[in-house]
Amino acid sequence: MFIQTEATPNPATLKFLPGKVVMESGTAEFRDADSAAVSPLAARIFSIPGVTGVFFGYDFVTVTKDGPEWQHLKPAILGTIMEHFMSGAKVMGSAAAANDEDGEEEFFEAGDETIVATIKELLETRVRPAVAQDGGDITFRGFKNGKVYLNMKGACSGCPSSTATLKHGVQNLLRHFVPEVQEVEAV
């Protein structure tokens, strides 16, 4: 098994491509070892000292670190991912479901359904595929008073360039197609 790695715009996060489907649908993000308990793979990755975050996309795993340099962490992470996939174990435990929505309710005013549908369609078709290339995800959280609230995940969470992505990329795109959008903010 050969696992490729890719740098992300976030220097604290590295993208691992195992050449296999990681999450058939949705995404899953783990920010600590306790939340990772629902995933055998995430739990094993969190057992490596210095790992502070794990994110699963369709065909990739992004790992966020704090402390040790990548040349010290990368071999252990590669070995863990390889052992997991070679064993045939599941990525998520049987009781776990993808936490794509984080269990949080979306919010928007009654009457804004058409605007929200357009925003979601633009995010799904134009923004999320580009963000996934960088090892992250971006999801709709809400729309109120002209402001779109988005959730940044994976490599995008805590990335130094995520503000530029939001303000210059996503905000400009949404304002172009949806005149009601005035601003975009991460939550």
Side-chain angles (χ1 to χ4, degrees), residues 10-102:
N10 184 348
T13 302
L14 196 59
K15 182 177 177 181
F16 295 83
L17 298 135
K20 297 182 180 282
V21 172
V22 177
M23 293 285 294
E24 192 68 45
S25 65
T27 60
E29 182 172 47
F30 308 97
R31 294 181 185 248
D32 56 44
D34 291 340
S35 67
V38 298
S39 165
L41 177 56
R44 289 180 71 185
I45 295 171
F46 263 103
S47 72
I48 300 167
V51 171
T52 60
V54 176
F55 178 81
F56 298 148
Y58 175 73
D59 62 351
F60 66 89
V61 175
T62 57
V63 178
T64 304
K65 70 168 181 79
D66 182 19
E69 294 301 319
W70 282 118
Q71 69 253 27
H72 301 298
L73 282 176
K74 193 172 161 182
I77 296 168
L78 285 167
T80 298
I81 294 171
M82 185 179 301
E83 285 174 18
H84 182 84
F85 280 105
M86 297 298 279
S87 76
K90 294 185 182 237
V91 171
M92 299 295 284
S94 58
N99 64 352
D100 193 35
E101 301 302 321
D102 292 328

Side-chain angles (χ1 to χ4, degrees), residues 60-171:
F60 66 89
V61 175
T62 57
V63 178
T64 304
K65 70 168 181 79
D66 182 19
E69 294 301 319
W70 282 118
Q71 69 253 27
H72 301 298
L73 282 176
K74 193 172 161 182
I77 296 168
L78 285 167
T80 298
I81 294 171
M82 185 179 301
E83 285 174 18
H84 182 84
F85 280 105
M86 297 298 279
S87 76
K90 294 185 182 237
V91 171
M92 299 295 284
S94 58
N99 64 352
D100 193 35
E101 301 302 321
D102 292 328
E104 296 180 19
E105 293 286 320
E106 293 178 352
F107 59 91
F108 52 89
E109 301 291 325
D112 286 343
E113 290 88 357
T114 306
I115 294 168
V116 168
T118 304
I119 291 168
K120 285 181 169 184
E121 194 260 328
L122 287 166
L123 288 172
E124 195 65 36
T125 59
R126 298 188 180 218
V127 178
R128 288 184 80 190
V131 172
Q133 291 275 329
D134 287 337
D137 196 13
I138 187 168
T139 55
F140 177 83
R141 283 282 295 119
F143 176 73
K144 189 171 184 174
N145 300 326
K147 191 180 281 191
V148 178
Y149 297 89
L150 301 173
N151 192 8
M152 308 287 279
K153 300 177 180 180
C156 298
S157 180
C159 176
S161 62
S162 65
T163 302
T165 299
L166 275 180
K167 295 299 178 188
H168 301 297
V170 179
Q171 181 171 287

